[in-house]
Amino acid sequence: MNGPLSQPAPLDGSESNLVGRQTERALLEQLLDQTASGQGNALVLNGGAGIGKSALLAWACAGATRRNMTVLTALGVEPESRMPFAGLHQLLLPLRRHAHRLEPGQRRALRTAFDAQGTVPDLFSVALATLELLTECAALAPVLAVADDTQWLDRPSADVLAFVARRVTTDPVLVLTASRTGHPDPLRNSGVRELPLHPLESTAAQALLATRAPHLTQAQRSLILGQSAGNPLALVELPESLTRSSAPSGHPRDLLPLNERLERAFGIRYTDLPADSRTLLLAASADTSCDLPRLLRAAAIAGGAPVGAAALQPAVDTSLIGPDTLRVQFRHPLIRSAVYTRATVAERLAIHAALSVVLESDPDRQVWHRAAATLGTDEDVVSDLEAFAARARPRGAVTIAVTALERGSDLTAAPARRTSLLLRAAELASELGERTAAAELVQRSDPTLMGPEDRGRLAVVQEIVAPGEMLDEARIRTLLEAANDARAGGHRDLAADLLWRAASRCWWGNLPPHLRAAVARAADHLGLTPDAPRTLAILAYALPQTHGNAVLTRMAALTPDRSDSDVMRFLGGAALILGDFHTASSYMSVAAETCRSQGRLALLARTLGAGSWGRIWTGDWDRARSESEEAAALAKETGETFWVTSATTNLAMLAALRGEHDIALALAQNAQDSLNITGVRFLLNSIQQVRAVAAVGTGRYEEAFDILRRLFAPAEATFHEMRWWVAPDLADAAAHTGRQEEARTILAGLEPLAGRLSSPMIQMCLQYTRAVLADDDNAELPLEQALAGDPSRWPPYRARLLLAHSRWLRRRRRTVESRAPLREARDIFDTLGAPHWSDHTRQLLRSAGESSTRRPPAARDRLSPQELQIATLAATGLTNRQISQRLYLSHRTIGSHLYRIFPKLGITTRTQLTDVLSSLEPTS
């Protein structure tokens, strides 16, 4: 392909506005060169209005065109910020003829997102389709995707851009965006590199002013330099306003902020226009995406007289708009703002009413203009806004749905309806993690007007936006009351959700038994079947030691709907906290696959993180590591900060078990520091277990014992009912420090618990501790029983138990016999990928009189977690496209990874992957 697929749309700025921007231009030049050579990147420019962001973007577009790159542009404008995917539609419109390159499902996702018809796609399905479309086109010519004023992009488009920007490093795609400082922008703080733009230095400011306004007197030059404060737009525009106003220097307007001075300068030009030109520009300022014919019709309706295209010329002559004959394009966003604010309230109401008439074929945009044209209340408009929110939410436009419901609350005359709308908006805002916005919406509601459903919604919102202290017993009582009211009002699903949240609090915070029992009793009164997955999960989380056996029995008899991610997640969660890690991992894996197919990335992050914890103890470390890495990345991307901490704890534990002690301690500290909810006893317990396992790995057994001993002290913040899961670690530390008797006392409650709870993990812990803590004279039978029992399904524990057995044999002077358990332990550690323990076991073998060669590096040692994940999926026969859809990467990125993976593994074809990955089998 010899040229770009599209030419850049005009952006504000010119070469003269780039005076003093050598550093920024050099960076953009470097990024363009890298993209042209096949390496993608992303950059966010941010700065005040008029600081030169648009000029730099225009300069980059020109540079990309010279390099024969495809240039795509989008501009955020306030009116379109309420239209789902409006910005993305702008960006991708030139590529519509390439949509046939996408999979059918991805074509449907984009078409439905833009047309609002058919089955609604998830936001991340649209994002993946966008990524695939860009990378497909980048295979023809490198792509520059530019979005200006992203603070005014609709939120779904901004989220898609952020998704793409984080994933284009291996594709020739450069994403450049610009946002105005002081405004919220989803692309900022999203992990994409940022470049702040500062005012021009004095010399550069003087040079720009001399170029653009050489006619100024010295006094005028000094005035402009002082007022502009190095802002390039001000240096260009204020001289023009000086010729239109004879107001002396020192007039109070000189004290206005720069943006207001610029808006006033633009406003003076607008006021001087003929009436029909003013009305036409006002129509354009109220809906910048409207085409010229409809703008002319709206201006005619509002003004009461025909308006022709000639009305554009005065605005072009005064440099308020560009010379485009298809649509009205303001030369700068501040001009649009100046026009809109300069108009009277009556003029604005009239123009919005006129636009609602000419946009009859676009109901989504029409409803916003009807709302803007409404003074007082209008229940029909409120209903239309509710319907708009209902359409917007499943399309991923949750922020826009919030705005619609909030605006509806302003237009209703019914106080109870107003409160209900505000609570629904707050619930949606809380789903996005926008705690401040949700709290403000709740504050505006009236608790005295809430019915059972509203009170339930309020409780759910409070759980998300203000979880507070996990140990807050009053919160459990509030949730129970709300659940009871919701159930009595016929809202059973809402009641079940509230009880699930209460049960989760009981588990994570290890709350008192009487509260747990109250949650379980409430679940019994819900009216759900005893085998309902959510019922089983509530009972397991609320009272695992009391109801655990019954839950495990019912689960074993179930044939769950494996296509329902919620069902599998509830059952997997119940199995996980009851210590049935094999079932938990299996169910969570199924749930994760469904979440992937549905694009529910926030839920996928939680599911992967929870399932990975079980995999750690069943020995599937490679998968646990790759899934925990993915869970952490997805949780960060979707704002699930709690689950970032949870996944980080998983990675810390894996590092500790592998013998990567420094990494484990750093990750554990990171997890503890980032925990944004106090009183989460289970996570605090797990973080301390990480520190203890790391201490054992470096021979600091006394330190490990003291850490673990405190986990059994009720007064400690780390005390949790499933503290028994650390029993094997406590037993190992005790065996090396001679504190077996103390450990037996601490673990006295384990045997009674195992008698009433058939948890696989608890049963294994009991067998393990019996063997390791037995007196030497009585240890042989419990060691043999433990090694013959369930520990065979728990490789990390079996390997450590084999070490304990070998030590006992050597103490009994049975050195030759000790070699067999050491060989098996060595092979298990090799298979797990624990080189520290493998080396330690080989040393023990040598001291027992048997040499053991060092195992060659396995595939896991040569690949990153993501590369290992991709290689494993490829080995199962999945195509690059299938892998890309699972991992939310472009299929070309998958191909690039495999291109690097093959040489690392010493292979040349996909068919060899299975053999190489199976080489993880133990060898001596």
Side-chain angles (χ1 to χ4, degrees):
M1 183 151 186
N2 296 322
L5 298 174
S6 67
Q7 293 298 322
L11 293 167
D12 181 73
S14 63
E15 190 74 21
S16 61
N17 283 17
L18 294 177
V19 173
R21 296 297 187 198
Q22 290 84 355
T23 301
E24 292 83 355
R25 289 165 63 180
L27 174 58
L28 291 176
E29 190 86 27
Q30 178 187 9
L31 294 178
L32 288 169
D33 286 341
Q34 289 174 347
T35 305
S37 64
Q39 178 185 340
N41 218 314
L43 182 69
V44 174
L45 305 177
N46 56 71
I51 203 67
K53 304 182 295 296
S54 297
L56 281 167
L57 293 181
W59 184 86
C61 286
T65 301
R66 289 194 301 271
R67 291 170 172 82
N68 288 323
M69 295 172 64
T70 298
V71 179
L72 308 170
T73 62
L75 177 66
V77 287
E78 286 178 275
E80 289 191 16
S81 65
R82 299 181 291 252
M83 299 294 108
F85 299 111
L88 188 65
H89 189 263
Q90 282 186 61
L91 190 75
L92 299 185
L93 190 60
L95 303 184
R96 61 189 181 277
R97 68 181 184 276
H98 297 279
H100 68 277
R101 297 175 179 272
L102 299 179
E103 294 285 301
Q106 293 173 343
R107 289 200 300 272
R108 284 194 299 273
L110 287 180
R111 184 170 58 250
T112 307
F114 297 150
D115 297 340
Q117 297 174 355
T119 303
V120 176
D122 181 272
L123 173 69
F124 290 101
S125 298
V126 177
L128 182 58
T130 300
L131 177 64
E132 286 284 11
L133 182 59
L134 289 174
T135 55
E136 279 292 325
C137 292
L140 303 175
V143 172
L144 170 63
V146 170
D148 200 2
D149 280 327
T150 54
Q151 76 276 0
W152 288 328
L153 272 186
D154 63 279
R155 181 62 180 267
S157 292
D159 287 341
V160 168
L161 266 180
F163 177 96
V164 169
R166 285 188 289 262
R167 289 167 170 81
V168 294
T169 54
T170 60
D171 298 287
V173 177
L174 174 60
V175 179
L176 295 181
T177 70
S179 65
R180 187 182 298 183
T181 303
H183 294 260
D185 175 21
L187 274 88
R188 296 196 64 190
N189 304 314
S190 64
V192 179
R193 181 181 179 182
E194 297 184 21
L195 177 65
L197 296 184
H198 303 289
L200 296 177
E201 298 288 345
S202 175
T203 303
Q206 292 179 41
L208 177 58
L209 184 60
T211 301
R212 297 303 297 262
H215 58 280
L216 295 179
T217 66
Q218 185 58 45
Q220 290 172 326
R221 195 183 315 280
S222 297
L223 174 63
I224 296 299
L225 287 171
Q227 288 194 347
S228 67
N231 183 288
L233 182 65
L235 289 164
V236 171
E237 298 295 342
L238 289 182
E240 175 70 16
S241 68
L242 204 61
T243 65
R244 292 175 175 270
S245 172
S246 58
S249 175
H251 187 280
R253 76 162 183 258
D254 295 345
L255 302 178
L256 291 173
L258 179 60
N259 283 4
E260 293 184 34
R261 289 202 297 275
L262 285 168
E263 284 196 10
R264 177 167 294 192
F266 293 134
I268 292 171
R269 296 188 214 172
Y270 166 72
T271 304
D272 290 343
L273 294 175
D276 58 349
S277 298
R278 290 200 307 272
T279 306
L280 182 57
L281 256 62
L282 179 57
S285 73
D287 195 324
T288 57
S289 63
C290 199
D291 57 68
L292 185 56
R294 285 193 287 192
L295 286 179
L296 292 171
R297 284 176 54 205
I301 294 171
V307 177
L312 290 171
Q313 195 57 47
V316 175
D317 293 341
T318 53
S319 300
L320 292 176
I321 63 174
D324 196 324
T325 58
L326 298 177
R327 57 188 299 175
V328 177
Q329 289 192 321
F330 292 102
R331 288 184 51 252
H332 194 277
L334 285 178
I335 299 175
R336 191 207 68 80
S337 177
V339 168
Y340 193 79
T341 56
R342 198 79 168 186
T344 66
V345 172
E347 288 171 335
R348 278 182 259 168
L349 291 172
I351 207 68
H352 282 295
L355 284 165
S356 72
V357 172
V358 303
L359 290 170
E360 69 275 5
S361 63
D362 192 338
D364 283 355
R365 286 162 65 197
Q366 184 184 49
V367 69
W368 283 107
H369 287 297
R370 287 184 62 203
T374 302
L375 276 180
T377 61
D378 188 323
E379 300 301 330
D380 288 338
V381 174
V382 175
S383 296
D384 287 344
L385 286 168
E386 285 186 281
F388 173 85
R391 293 192 299 272
R393 182 187 179 187
R395 295 174 67 201
V398 180
T399 302
I400 296 170
V402 171
T403 305
L405 293 172
E406 184 180 8
R407 178 58 177 152
S409 74
D410 294 333
L411 299 179
T412 181
R417 189 181 191 187
R418 179 177 184 272
T419 284
S420 181
L421 288 166
L422 287 169
L423 284 176
R424 285 161 60 192
E427 187 176 18
L428 294 181
S430 67
E431 287 181 10
L432 293 172
E434 295 180 352
R435 293 177 171 81
T436 301
E440 289 174 353
L441 290 164
V442 167
Q443 188 66 31
R444 290 166 53 191
S445 65
D446 187 346
T448 65
L449 299 175
M450 294 181 190
E453 184 177 9
D454 287 337
R455 286 194 294 273
R457 288 184 186 278
L458 176 60
V460 170
V461 171
Q462 296 288 16
E463 278 297 283
I464 298 172
V465 305
E469 167 70 52
M470 191 63 73
L471 305 179
D472 183 3
E473 298 182 16
R475 183 64 71 90
I476 299 294
R477 289 189 284 272
T478 297
L479 290 169
L480 287 171
E481 290 171 6
N484 185 56
D485 290 346
R487 179 185 59 80
H491 307 292
R492 192 170 63 178
D493 284 343
L494 177 59
D497 185 22
L498 290 161
L499 290 180
W500 161 247
R501 294 177 186 279
S504 297
R505 275 185 169 268
C506 289
W507 163 257
W508 290 103
N510 198 58
L511 295 180
H514 70 277
L515 290 174
R516 295 166 168 268
V519 173
R521 285 195 300 272
D524 288 337
H525 294 137
L526 265 183
L528 298 174
T529 64
D531 294 338
R534 187 155 43 181
T535 302
L536 295 176
I538 291 170
L539 294 176
Y541 274 73
L543 288 170
Q545 296 189 19
T546 305
H547 288 70
N549 271 350
V551 171
L552 288 170
T553 300
R554 290 175 187 171
M555 284 178 58
L558 281 178
T559 304
D561 180 359
R562 299 175 75 86
S563 66
D564 189 325
S565 63
D566 292 331
V567 165
M568 300 308 292
R569 201 165 44 83
F570 281 127
L571 294 176
L576 184 68
I577 67 157
L578 293 175
D580 186 356
F581 292 162
H582 293 86
T583 299
S585 296
S586 173
Y587 281 9
M588 288 297 194
S589 179
V590 173
E593 289 310 304
T594 306
C595 289
R596 284 188 195 280
S597 67
Q598 296 172 344
R600 302 168 72 183
L601 296 199
L603 203 54
L604 176 59
R606 302 183 201 179
T607 306
L608 289 174
S612 296
W613 182 255
R615 294 190 195 285
I616 293 172
W617 308 110
T618 57
D620 195 355
W621 287 4
D622 290 334
R623 188 167 177 182
R625 183 181 172 198
S626 63
E627 289 187 350
S628 294
E629 293 268 14
E630 185 181 6
L634 291 175
K636 183 176 180 180
E637 186 166 351
T638 54
E640 296 280 348
T641 54
F642 178 86
W643 295 99
V644 174
T645 303
S646 176
T648 302
T649 304
N650 290 356
L651 293 169
M653 184 62 77
L654 283 165
L657 290 167
R658 284 172 56 91
E660 299 165 343
H661 313 117
D662 292 341
I663 294 174
L665 293 175
L667 287 171
Q669 190 61 50
N670 178 272
Q672 185 165 327
D673 291 345
S674 64
L675 190 58
N676 61 347
I677 303 175
T678 56
V680 188
R681 289 180 178 267
F682 180 72
L683 272 184
L684 293 172
N685 180 287
S686 299
I687 290 168
Q688 289 300 94
Q689 185 185 8
V690 169
R691 294 186 170 116
V693 172
V696 166
T698 52
R700 305 193 314 275
Y701 298 107
E702 288 284 357
E703 178 185 336
F705 188 90
D706 287 338
I707 291 173
L708 295 167
R709 175 179 53 81
R710 289 194 294 274
L711 300 184
F712 290 82
E716 293 285 340
T718 54
F719 183 78
H720 192 273
E721 66 181 320
M722 284 304 147
R723 59 196 175 278
W724 308 106
W725 290 356
V726 308
D729 304 307
L730 181 72
D732 283 344
H736 283 86
T737 56
R739 299 170 76 172
Q740 291 95 327
E741 186 59 37
E742 187 178 352
R744 283 193 285 267
T745 300
I746 293 171
L747 297 175
L750 179 56
E751 188 154 357
L753 173 62
R756 62 179 184 270
L757 179 61
S758 57
S759 158
M761 181 68 168
I762 294 297
Q763 300 300 321
M764 187 279 298
C765 288
L766 178 62
Q767 289 182 326
Y768 190 103
T769 54
R770 276 177 176 170
V772 173
L773 294 177
D775 293 331
D776 271 4
D777 290 342
N778 302 303
E780 186 163 17
L781 181 59
L783 279 167
E784 290 175 351
Q785 289 175 335
L787 288 168
D790 270 353
S792 62
R793 300 184 67 210
W794 310 79
Y797 290 110
R798 180 170 183 82
R800 287 160 54 186
L801 199 57
L802 288 163
L803 290 182
H805 188 203
S806 72
R807 286 194 297 270
W808 178 82
L809 288 169
R810 295 190 66 185
R811 288 196 300 273
R812 309 298 287 182
R813 300 185 183 281
R814 295 159 63 178
T815 303
V816 174
E817 291 178 62
S818 73
R819 296 173 186 168
L822 285 173
R823 287 190 213 104
E824 186 182 350
R826 174 205 61 198
D827 293 344
I828 293 174
F829 286 132
D830 280 347
T831 302
L832 288 171
H836 171 84
W837 288 102
S838 295
D839 292 343
H840 174 67
T841 308
R842 282 178 167 80
Q843 290 174 3
L844 294 177
L845 261 174
R846 282 194 292 273
S847 66
E850 180 175 305
S851 63
S852 179
T853 58
R854 186 177 181 85
R855 188 172 186 264
R860 72 168 63 84
D861 303 312
R862 289 171 264 169
L863 304 179
S864 69
Q866 187 180 65
E867 288 175 336
L868 183 58
Q869 187 178 26
I870 290 171
T872 302
L873 291 172
T876 66
L878 294 180
T879 66
N880 288 4
R881 287 189 183 275
Q882 290 170 327
I883 297 171
S884 73
Q885 291 167 9
R886 288 169 61 98
L887 302 185
Y888 283 86
L889 299 168
S890 78
H891 78 278
R892 294 185 181 278
T893 297
I894 300 300
S896 297
H897 277 298
L898 288 171
Y899 182 79
R900 291 191 295 271
I901 287 169
F902 284 7
K904 289 183 179 182
L905 299 181
I907 61 176
T908 56
T909 66
R910 295 172 83 99
T911 57
Q912 295 172 284
L913 277 171
T914 303
D915 292 337
V916 171
L917 295 178
S918 67
S919 69
L920 298 179
E921 294 299 321
T923 63
S924 59

